Every structure is written in structure tokens, then in C-alpha cells.
Amino acid sequence: MSENQVITPEQLEEYMQGLYAKSKVAQKKFEREFTTNRRVDEVLRAIGMKTCEYAEELCTDALNETKMGNVNDKMSKLKGIVFGQWAICKGQNTVDYEDSPLEPGIKILYKPMGVIGCVMPSTNPVATIIGNAMMALKGRNSVIIAPHPMSVRLSVKMVKLLREALESVGAPADLIQCISEEYASREATNLMMSTCDACISTGGAGRVKAAYSSGKPAFGVGQGNVQEIVDLGISDAELERQATLCVAHRAKDNGVPCAGAQTVHIHAQQLEQWKGYMQEHGAFLIDKDEDIAALRALVFPDGGTKLNRAVVGKFPYQVGEMCGLNIPETAKIMLVKNQAWGEAEVLCREILFPIVRYTVYEKFEDAVDRAVANLEVEGAGHTSTLWTTDDDHVEYAAKRIPVGRFHINQPTMGGRIPIITSITIGCGTWGGNSVSENLTFRHLLNKTRVTREISGTQPWYCTDWDNFEKFNPLAE
């Protein structure tokens, strides 16, 4: 087909049905022939190792194609996802029987969902491809990648490498396929989601909403707009630690990751000391009204709420050049004064370059209210952090802030905690998602319950309204 030839809906339908048919054949072969957890794990090992082998080349290609972020941080995130998925998946059972944790005597047998359609974001294409692929293949599913038009060449190249890795361990290459550059489009992505057996959508709110409207089971991610509250009473050393980590994490991949802090709520008594720490560790302070207005006009043009894509993944000095601010190339992030929240200030929304806004509060309850107001505009369900020594404040904030991950005395990207690593951060109904936890291979499995009669078993049936104990169907 020539470069300028228009693809008709009929041609697109035929193409997508062809991808799905090949994917289904490969998935069924995978399910029938790879019948031990070790064999499945060898497949994950092969595609994970291949990705790491070509990590620098793939991340360089991603930067060259999308013009977002930087290579070193992309590689760090990529390896974090690959090694994280390997740790989560290896040795875990997706093939054999397991006892049901709730139903005595019942065995659960895991089975694949089938063909998983995976929608890629432009901001993080490399890590998302391998993260989705490892999760899906652990459950003996197959995947079809729908690349973002801004990163289609990288996606096609990466999938080619992964297919080579599959063949090297005797697995069908068609377990991983990618919509070609010729066909890649919004229409193709929508058709893929309605064709596959289930889909994972990582990207903007529109793509996630489309996934849930596809008519197929879907897993999406909510937008980030991470709030960070610094409570009065933490030590000077802890205050500096918070500032250091805030700058470092917000600067990662030029502010593209969704889990970096967007707004910090700081007590008035700590403000000057905290600003000093932030600037010492690489923040460029913007606190003049005219400079903030110029930045606002650039980031959200024409008084709207749609983020200007020209600023996404850019260094602070590059953003400064676009709006007439002289920001040194050494600056890691922008630090912007912001005494408005919620609907009152568009700068309270998620912004995908290295920028942190700060609000100053006098009462802890006001800081929580402002964080909630920002999240209710954008970012509910994702992540927030509280730095404190007051357990009552932990209890108060945790009950009120609508997020799936609430970190205490840690950076917003998490610290040394055993929360499962994932490329897909579910934000629950707050963020319009089906799960409020990090997506794992376990979400991509069907389950068969195998039951046998057990003598003396009682039905799940209780007429005693005064008995508040857990029901036990095996009790006499």
C-alpha cells in the first residue's frame, strides 16, 4: 500500500481481524504447550533480558522520536520495570491448582484471558510495552500493542526484538504483535480494543475512557496530580530529605512520570527554610506574579485547561525560553508559588515537565482540604504523601485524601516499601478505573473453581442476627 493511500474502514477491519486471529492461535498454542510455571517464566526471562540488552538503544530511539524526557532516566525506569516484573512474576503460580483462600476445600485453576490489547502512551513507550507484555505473558495470554503515533517506529522496532526473544525459547512469535506504522491511528487503537478479549490502556483520560467504552473488559490508569503535605514538627534533617527527594524525583525523565510530586503544601513556619533546601538541591524559584502569569499562559494556552504538548518532557530552561524566563540549564525543576487550589487555579492540574507548585498553610486541616480540592479537579485515586511525626495526622489525612497509594515520610514515587511494582497504576473509581491498586499478572487471569462435596459442609447461610463472628462453612 502506498504512503499516501487512504486506508478504508474495511481494510482496517480486515487487518485487525488478521492480527487478532494470529494472536489467538499463538495464545492457544502457548496455553497448551507451556504447562509448567518454569516454562512460562523462561519466556518472561527471554523478553526481559532482550529488553535490557537493547535498553540504551531503545530509550535513545524513544527520545529521538517523542522529544520527551532524557535517556538516562528512561533507562532507569525501564530497568526498574523489567527487574520489578521479573521479581513479581518468577516462581508464582499461573498454571497449577491453588487452594481458595476463602472457600474451604475448593481448588482454583488459573487460565488465560486470551488476547490482551495494550494501548501505549507517548510519554513512556518502552517501559510500558515490556511491562504489559511480561504481565500478560505470565498468565499465558498474548498481546497486541497499539503504539502512540508519536512513538510508532520505536514500538515496531521493540516488538520485533521481543518476537526474536520469544522464538529463541520456542514460544510463538505472534504472542507479541504491534499495529504497523502504516495502520497506526486512533481508529486502529479503538478497533483493537473492541476486538481483543481484554485491554490495558495507558495514556490520557480520553484513551482510558475509550478502553472502558470498548465493550470488552478493560484496565486503565488515572491521571497523576500527586499532592505532598509537609507537616509542622518534622526535623530539619527530614525537611531537607523531603526537599532533596522531591527535586530528584520530579526531575526524573524531565517530569514525565505520573508519580512525581505536583504540589507541595508547606507550613508557613517552615517555608523559608524549605525553599532554601529546594533551591540548594536544584529548584529554580518563580514567585513573581508576572512570571507566574507568563508560565500559566504557556502551559495552558488561551485560558483553557488543556496542557500545551510543547512543554511536555522538556528541561526547565527550555520551558523558560518559551515564556521569556531566564532559567539556567543547571536548574533541575521549577518551584512556583501558588496560593490557589482546586478550580480556582489551572496550575493546580497535572503538568508533565519538571515543575513543583507550593501552597503555604497555617492549619493542617487546611492543607488536607487543599490537597483534596486539587485531586478532585484532577488526579484522584493516584498517589499522595505526608511527611509527619503525628500519627493522628496520618489517620486524619489517610481517611480524607482519595488516593490508592498514601505514602508516609517517603517520596511520592515510593521508598523502601513492598508495594508491587507496576507500569499500570490503577486509581479506582476515583480515577475512572476498575482497580485501585497496581496492576499485576493476577488481574489478567481467569479462574476455574474446582469443587468436591465435603461431608458436614454448611451452606453460606446464617439466620442468627446476633452472631457477628466470621462464618465458617466447616463448623459443626
Side-chain angles (χ1 to χ4, degrees):
M1 191 175 292
S2 65
E3 182 178 344
N4 297 322
Q5 186 173 343
V6 176
I7 296 172
T8 67
E10 293 76 18
Q11 288 170 324
L12 183 58
E13 175 73 28
E14 182 181 1
Y15 173 75
M16 195 59 62
Q17 289 297 332
L19 286 184
Y20 177 80
K22 290 190 292 184
S23 191
K24 197 68 172 179
V25 168
Q27 185 273 312
K28 288 297 185 183
K29 181 179 175 66
F30 190 32
E31 182 180 1
R32 286 193 310 269
E33 298 181 6
F34 285 67
T35 57
T36 67
N37 290 299
R38 174 58 184 260
R39 285 284 281 139
V40 173
D41 288 349
E42 287 171 354
V43 172
L44 269 63
R45 177 178 180 269
I47 62 174
M49 288 180 66
K50 178 69 78 170
T51 299
C52 289
E53 180 183 352
Y54 286 88
E56 184 171 4
E57 181 177 331
L58 291 169
C59 291
T60 300
D61 287 349
L63 175 59
N64 291 338
E65 192 169 4
T66 67
K67 305 296 188 290
M68 299 178 189
N70 64 81
V71 172
N72 287 339
D73 286 343
K74 288 184 184 300
M75 287 178 61
S76 175
K77 183 165 188 176
L78 173 61
K79 291 183 177 180
I81 291 298
V82 172
F83 296 143
Q85 286 301 312
W86 177 238
I88 291 161
C89 293
K90 68 184 179 72
Q92 297 290 339
N93 175 43
T94 57
V95 173
D96 299 320
Y97 286 104
E98 284 186 0
D99 293 330
S100 170
L102 181 63
E103 304 146 314
I106 291 179
K107 300 286 187 180
I108 294 176
L109 189 60
Y110 296 108
K111 296 177 181 177
M113 282 187 166
V115 179
I116 312 294
C118 302
V119 181
M120 295 298 111
S122 60
T123 51
N124 193 27
V126 183
T128 308
I129 288 177
I130 189 61
N132 284 180
M134 292 180 78
M135 279 193 294
L137 267 62
K138 176 61 179 175
R140 294 182 294 175
N141 301 291
S142 58
V143 297
I144 298 175
I145 302 296
H148 192 283
M150 291 181 65
S151 57
V152 61
R153 292 192 297 276
L154 172 277
S155 298
V156 170
K157 175 178 178 176
M158 183 171 179
V159 167
K160 182 176 182 294
L161 291 171
L162 298 183
R163 287 167 63 87
E164 292 172 0
L166 290 172
E167 290 181 321
S168 73
V169 290
D174 285 340
L175 286 175
I176 304 177
Q177 296 184 85
C178 184
I179 297 173
S180 69
E181 185 173 358
E182 180 183 17
Y183 283 91
S185 63
R186 184 178 296 270
E187 293 75 19
T189 297
N190 289 340
L191 183 57
M192 181 204 71
M193 290 191 291
S194 64
T195 301
C196 291
D197 300 316
C199 55
I200 304 171
S201 185
T202 309
R207 290 291 81 202
V208 173
K209 184 176 180 180
Y212 286 114
S213 303
S214 67
K216 295 298 179 71
F219 302 93
V221 296
Q223 287 180 278
N225 187 20
V226 176
Q227 305 294 301
E228 190 161 6
I229 300 173
V230 181
D231 197 4
L232 184 65
I234 66 172
S235 68
D236 291 350
E238 195 72 344
L239 186 65
E240 182 172 14
R241 176 171 173 259
Q242 182 278 330
T244 304
L245 292 169
C246 180
V247 172
H249 284 206
R250 193 68 187 97
K252 279 185 179 293
D253 205 15
N254 291 7
V256 168
C258 58
Q262 294 277 338
T263 298
V264 174
H265 304 269
I266 186 79
H267 195 279
Q269 293 181 30
Q270 298 169 310
L271 176 62
E272 294 306 319
Q273 185 178 12
W274 177 78
K275 285 196 301 185
Y277 287 143
M278 291 288 285
Q279 291 175 88
E280 180 182 338
H281 292 286
F284 180 84
L285 180 63
I286 300 175
D287 57 0
K288 295 180 180 178
D289 290 345
E290 59 270 27
D291 292 341
I292 297 170
L295 183 64
R296 183 188 298 111
L298 169 69
V299 177
F300 294 101
D302 304 318
T305 60
K306 185 175 181 180
L307 181 66
N308 181 358
R309 291 197 67 87
V311 302
V312 175
K314 298 300 189 291
F315 288 100
Y317 80 89
Q318 293 174 315
V319 176
E321 289 173 351
M322 296 181 199
C323 62
L325 299 179
N326 184 21
I327 299 176
E329 293 189 18
T330 54
K332 296 178 181 178
I333 70 166
M334 294 181 183
L335 179 61
V336 180
K337 179 182 177 181
N338 184 25
Q339 272 306 110
W341 39 87
E343 295 286 1
E345 173 57 80
V346 71
L347 286 176
C348 290
R349 292 176 173 267
E350 182 183 38
I351 300 175
L352 298 178
F353 69 83
I355 179 174
V356 169
R357 284 79 73 199
Y358 68 91
T359 67
V360 184
Y361 71 91
E362 296 281 354
K363 290 175 56 182
F364 179 77
E365 293 79 6
D366 289 340
V368 173
D369 288 345
R370 295 169 187 180
V372 171
N374 288 344
L375 290 167
E376 287 179 344
V377 170
E378 192 168 75
H382 203 289
T383 305
S384 288
T385 279
L386 169 62
W387 296 79
T388 188
T389 59
D390 189 330
D391 287 343
D392 290 338
H393 281 184
V394 173
E395 186 79 2
Y396 181 88
K399 287 181 175 179
R400 286 162 177 77
I401 295 180
V403 293
R405 285 139 294 270
F406 190 53
H407 302 313
I408 308 303
N409 297 330
Q410 302 172 70
T412 58
M413 290 186 177
R416 294 179 180 176
I417 51 174
I419 193 168
I420 284 180
T421 301
S422 179
I423 197 66
T424 304
I425 299 177
C427 296
T429 57
W430 298 301
N433 301 160
S434 56
V435 296
S436 57
E437 58 192 351
N438 291 0
L439 197 73
T440 73
F441 68 90
R442 295 201 178 277
H443 294 99
L444 305 179
L445 292 165
N446 285 321
K447 300 174 184 178
T448 296
R449 279 172 165 75
V450 180
T451 74
R452 297 178 186 272
E453 284 194 330
I454 301 175
S455 178
T457 301
Q458 305 298 313
W460 288 86
Y461 188 81
C462 182
T463 59
D464 185 355
W465 294 108
D466 293 322
N467 184 349
F468 291 89
E469 300 299 320
K470 287 182 180 179
F471 183 78
N472 181 2
L474 294 183
E476 292 281 332

